[in-house]
Amino acid sequence: MTKAIIFDLGAVLIDWNPHYLYRKIFQEEAEMLHFLENICTPAWNEEQDAGRSLQEATAMLVEQFPDHAAYIQAFYGRWEEMLGGAIEGTVAIFRELKESNKYKIYALTNWSAETFPIAKERFDFLNWFDGVVVSGDEKDRKPFPSFYQTLLDRYQVKPEEAVFIDDNLRNVKAAEELGIPSIHFTSPEALREKLEEKGVL
């Protein structure tokens, strides 16, 4: 029986994408993609999600790639421009689940502790959760089992009584290995279908 729903945030409830910022900075798409694949990489960003400070991360890359200093500094200096808005279809599902009063609803997110307050100020639905576990605060992140366990322990959630939703298949598989039934998010419409199949909606 499902008693708890655990949402990822980025690309599930919130449209966040560095391309929104860097398309304003680079004239050529290929040049932008090369920069984001080789300099300000997803792996580099994940270390900030795990607790490394934005200042330290920026300084490290500027030292490595001094010719790209301005572009690197823009990543967090203009970070808010990467926020595209709420994914309204998923927010509608969240609202429906919340109003049903059947479930505890949590967020488990890989997010820098320094930038999460910006999102929280912008998106009111981030205050609807019964609990939010932010990787940057915990100095831990998905897909490490310890990060999922932090949420389960803190809110006394039994893995088999939860449903975890994430757009990253790596994170979904890690949750399933802990015995948490999971849904790989691809679109709000597909999510609704899968939740209906599980009898959650």
Side-chain angles (χ1 to χ4, degrees):
M1 183 182 174
T2 303
K3 294 184 179 177
I5 312 294
I6 305 168
F7 279 97
D8 174 39
L9 296 179
V12 174
L13 280 157
I14 296 169
D15 178 17
W16 175 87
N17 194 324
H19 292 187
Y20 296 143
L21 166 63
Y22 282 100
R23 281 200 179 108
K24 301 174 188 176
I25 293 173
F26 289 99
Q27 292 186 330
E28 297 292 332
E29 184 88 358
E31 195 181 355
M32 177 195 77
L33 292 174
H34 182 269
F35 175 80
L36 292 173
E37 287 164 9
N38 295 282
I39 299 176
C40 286
T41 65
W44 168 79
N45 183 55
E46 276 197 332
E47 291 305 315
Q48 285 70 269
D49 290 348
R52 181 169 62 190
S53 78
L54 307 188
Q55 184 178 357
E56 181 188 348
T58 302
M60 181 188 78
L61 280 195
V62 167
E63 188 176 341
Q64 280 183 260
F65 304 100
D67 292 348
H68 292 81
Y71 300 151
I72 293 163
Q73 289 159 350
F75 197 96
Y76 292 113
R78 296 173 60 182
W79 179 87
E80 198 167 349
E81 293 175 57
M82 300 180 193
L83 289 172
I87 299 174
E88 294 299 345
T90 315
V91 175
I93 290 169
F94 181 8
R95 184 181 290 108
E96 205 172 313
L97 291 167
K98 186 78 178 168
E99 289 175 353
S100 75
N101 290 314
K102 293 179 183 175
Y103 312 103
K104 292 288 188 181
I105 306 178
Y106 304 105
L108 185 71
T109 184
N110 282 3
W111 206 303
S112 161
E114 293 174 76
T115 57
F116 187 69
I118 298 169
K120 199 167 182 188
E121 195 172 305
R122 181 181 289 198
F123 301 107
D124 184 57
F125 61 79
L126 291 178
N127 299 295
W128 300 355
F129 289 103
D130 294 294
V132 179
V133 179
V134 178
S135 62
D137 290 332
E138 305 300 329
K139 308 291 191 289
D140 197 3
R141 62 173 175 83
K142 295 175 281 188
F144 300 120
S146 51
F147 187 51
Y148 299 80
Q149 199 62 49
T150 294
L151 185 145
L152 298 175
D153 292 346
R154 185 170 296 165
Y155 299 108
Q156 299 179 314
V157 176
K158 294 179 181 176
E160 67 276 11
E161 293 179 352
V163 172
F164 173 67
I165 301 158
D166 199 300
D167 67 296
N168 189 320
L169 193 55
R170 175 198 70 177
N171 298 340
V172 166
K173 288 178 176 176
E176 289 175 340
E177 285 173 13
L178 288 170
I180 306 170
S182 300
I183 294 171
H184 179 216
F185 180 88
T186 55
S187 71
E189 296 75 19
L191 175 61
R192 181 174 290 278
E193 282 181 22
K194 289 175 181 175
L195 289 172
E196 286 172 351
E197 284 170 16
K198 289 180 177 290
V200 171
L201 278 177

